[in-house]
């Protein structure tokens, strides 16, 4: 019996040891300190807020226990980097205050947007201000869709924001009539999207390439910089022809119809069926629709006069000028230089008009002509010396658009090739 008892004790002891051996070891990981804008947040009381209407930089600091003349000293010390008078209502800011009983502000961080901020540090006798830019990760994406009604509705259905639709419209404004799109037409484009902390969208980058299938034809667009000196990017088709013409087809991008054409023999019943020439092209659109310059140039007239109502006239060169009538409001003044596609006013009903529209008048050598019948000059295409480099550049992009995948370098490493002449 004594031997059995000893044996039983040994078995129980071994079993207990085994259980102890199986006990997991718990590791306590130290919490990583949160660092933002170059500061360890655990060292401060963090206060986040938004600037209220009528609120000044001084009032904000005063509320957080920084008093005059210290506020004046701060404002004066940083004036070359940050003008404290220009803080705007609605902008978010961050205050890092001391953790002691005073809770006095030591750092003020003004957020200009999601990416940019100004950091004002006055915790020590040396007051400093610096610009801060959050690191941006650029991700290359693709979008494809089939037209059922309109481009904007199709893009909305893909969850893309309107400004991307406008970018696509700008690229194809000279080669594609978006109101002539047919059900079943399709598109695909490669674009960049910017992210902060890999999750927060900071807007779109460049549209690198695109293709529309319209009426059985493929309309390509590739972003390319041909001149390293100017650094200006343009869009070209697969043959190296620039998509942008010297003049846009219409002074309105979307939602318009031509309600009256250029007609020198037009008769109007209201005037006893007499001939009243119409020397413009009327584009009917909703009140407030933006009116854009159809080409770059200098504003030579911007006023309100008689039957023209509010109007703007732009001189493009020694040959061509354009005029835009019946605006509700003008955005540009005489002497301003405008670029093609810039908004110069909004559709209205000022002057002699029976409905909201813009009367678009086109002048050639001082004489009004019909822009829809004019053979207008086009923008410059790629010179022959550059085309080989261009064809090499677009080869992988074209392959990518044709529903095939190719390895793509990170956008930070490769954005575009600048051709050398």
């Amino acid at each position: 019996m004594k031997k059995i008892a000893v044996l039983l004790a040994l078995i129980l002891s071994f079993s207990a040891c085994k259980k102890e051996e199986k006990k997991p070891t718990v590791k306590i990981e130290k919490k990583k300190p949160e660092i933002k804008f170059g500061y360890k947040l655990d060292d401060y009381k963090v206060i986040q807020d938004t600037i209220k209407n009528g609120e000044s930089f001084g009032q904000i600091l005063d509320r957080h226990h920084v008093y005059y003349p210290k506020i004046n000293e701060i404002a004066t010390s940083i004036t070359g980097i940050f003008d404290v008078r220009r803080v705007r209502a609605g902008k978010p800011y961050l205050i890092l205050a001391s953790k002691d009983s005073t809770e006095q502000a030591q750092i003020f961080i003004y957020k200009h947007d999601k990416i940019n901020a100004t950091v004002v540090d006055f915790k020590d006798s040396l007051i400093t201000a610096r610009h801060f830019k959050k690191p941006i990760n650029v991700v290359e994406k693709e979008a494809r869709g089939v037209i059922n009604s309109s481009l904007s509705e199709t893009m909305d259905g893909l969850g893309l924001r309107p400004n991307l639709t406008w970018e696509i419209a700008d690229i194809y404004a000279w080669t594609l009539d978006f109101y002539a799109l047919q059900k079943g037409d399709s598109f695909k484009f490669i674009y960049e999207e910017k992210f902060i902390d890999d999750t927060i969208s900071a807007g779109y980058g460049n549209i690198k390439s695109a293709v529309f299938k319209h009426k059985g034809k493929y309309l390509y667009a590739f972003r390319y910089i041909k001149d390293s000196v100017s650094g200006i990017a343009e869009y070209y088709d697969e043959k190296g022809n620039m998509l942008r013409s010297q003049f846009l087809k219409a002074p309105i991008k979307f939602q318009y119809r031509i309600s009256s054409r250029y007609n020198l023999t037009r008769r109007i019943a209201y005037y006893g069926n007499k001939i009243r020439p119409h020397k413009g092209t009327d584009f009917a659109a909703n009140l407030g629709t933006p009116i854009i310059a159809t080409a770059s140039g200098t504003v030579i007239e911007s006023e309100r006069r008689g039957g023209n109502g509010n109007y703007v006239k732009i001189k493009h060169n020694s040959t061509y000028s354009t005029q835009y009538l019946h605006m509700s409001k003008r955005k540009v003044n005489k002497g301003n230089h405008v670029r093609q596609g810039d908004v110069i006013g909004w559709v209205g009903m000022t002057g002699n008009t029976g409905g909201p529209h813009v009367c678009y008048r086109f002048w050639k050598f001082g004489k009004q002509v019909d822009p829809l019948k004019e053979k207008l000059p086009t923008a410059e295409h790629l010179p022959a010396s550059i085309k080989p480099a261009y064809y090499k550049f677009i080869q992988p992009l074209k392959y990518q658009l044709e529903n095939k995948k190719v390895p793509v370098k990170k956008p930070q490493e490769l954005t575009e090739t600048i051709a050398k002449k």
Side-chain angles (χ1 to χ4, degrees), residues 96-342:
L96 304 183
S98 62
K99 277 190 164 182
D100 58 22
S101 58
T102 65
E103 294 187 350
Q104 187 181 57
Q106 297 186 329
I107 294 119
F108 175 82
I109 300 165
Y110 180 78
K111 298 180 181 179
H112 300 277
D113 49 45
K114 290 179 181 179
I115 300 170
N116 300 286
T118 298
V119 179
V120 182
D121 188 326
F122 43 89
K123 64 179 180 296
D124 300 318
S125 58
L126 179 64
I127 299 167
T128 62
R130 59 185 170 86
H131 298 303
F132 178 87
K133 192 179 185 78
K134 283 194 173 183
I136 299 297
N137 184 31
V138 181
V139 177
E140 188 178 274
K141 293 187 172 185
E142 70 170 49
R144 64 173 76 197
V146 177
I147 303 294
N148 287 316
S149 53
S150 69
L151 174 66
S152 56
E153 285 186 17
T154 305
M155 296 276 275
D156 287 344
L158 295 173
L160 300 169
R161 294 190 288 278
N163 55 325
L164 199 60
T165 306
W166 279 71
E167 285 290 327
I168 286 290
D170 277 341
I171 292 168
Y172 282 99
W174 309 274
T175 54
L176 184 61
D177 184 352
F178 286 100
Y179 286 92
L181 288 176
Q182 301 173 349
K183 191 173 182 179
D185 285 352
S186 60
F187 62 84
K188 179 179 177 180
F189 57 92
I190 310 299
Y191 66 101
E192 295 171 341
E193 188 167 1
K194 304 172 187 175
F195 287 92
I196 302 168
D197 301 328
D198 295 325
T199 55
I200 304 168
S201 177
Y204 298 118
N206 297 318
I207 295 173
K208 300 178 71 176
S209 59
V211 62
F212 262 88
K213 185 182 179 184
H214 174 59
K215 294 182 179 179
K217 292 183 178 180
Y218 291 90
L219 305 173
Y220 288 94
F222 301 100
R223 187 177 189 273
Y224 190 69
I225 295 175
K226 71 171 184 178
D227 183 1
S228 59
V229 176
S230 69
I232 297 172
E234 291 282 2
Y235 286 89
Y236 301 87
D237 64 17
E238 74 278 17
K239 295 179 181 178
N241 299 316
M242 188 185 289
L243 269 63
R244 177 175 61 83
S245 295
Q246 189 168 343
F247 287 91
L248 294 173
K249 293 180 180 179
I252 295 173
K253 283 188 179 181
F254 297 116
Q255 303 298 327
Y256 70 83
R257 63 182 176 84
I258 297 177
S259 55
S260 181
R261 293 178 179 269
Y262 181 95
N263 186 351
L264 298 180
T265 59
R266 182 184 64 168
R267 293 180 182 273
I268 303 177
Y270 181 80
Y271 294 108
N273 209 35
K274 291 181 180 179
I275 291 177
R276 288 292 180 98
H278 185 236
K279 295 183 178 180
T281 304
D282 291 348
F283 292 85
N286 293 332
L287 285 169
T289 300
I291 298 168
I292 58 177
T294 55
S296 300
T298 302
V299 177
I300 56 173
E301 294 177 33
S302 178
E303 56 186 273
R304 179 166 182 159
R305 186 195 302 167
N308 289 350
N310 277 317
Y311 77 93
V312 168
K313 190 172 183 180
I314 301 170
K315 183 177 181 180
H316 304 289
N317 53 33
S318 58
T319 305
Y320 298 104
S321 298
T322 55
Q323 193 178 16
Y324 312 77
L325 279 57
H326 311 307
M327 296 177 171
S328 62
K329 189 178 178 182
R330 292 170 278 118
K331 189 181 179 182
V332 294
N333 298 315
K334 184 177 178 180
N336 289 163
H337 179 77
V338 294
R339 294 185 65 186
Q340 187 178 62
D342 285 352

Side-chain angles (χ1 to χ4, degrees), residues 355-375:
H357 73 280
V358 56
C359 179
Y360 176 56
R361 301 197 172 195
F362 198 93
W363 305 69
K364 183 178 181 180
F365 295 118
K367 181 183 176 182
Q368 292 188 67
V369 296
D370 184 355
L372 301 181
K373 292 183 178 179
E374 282 292 307
K375 188 177 180 181

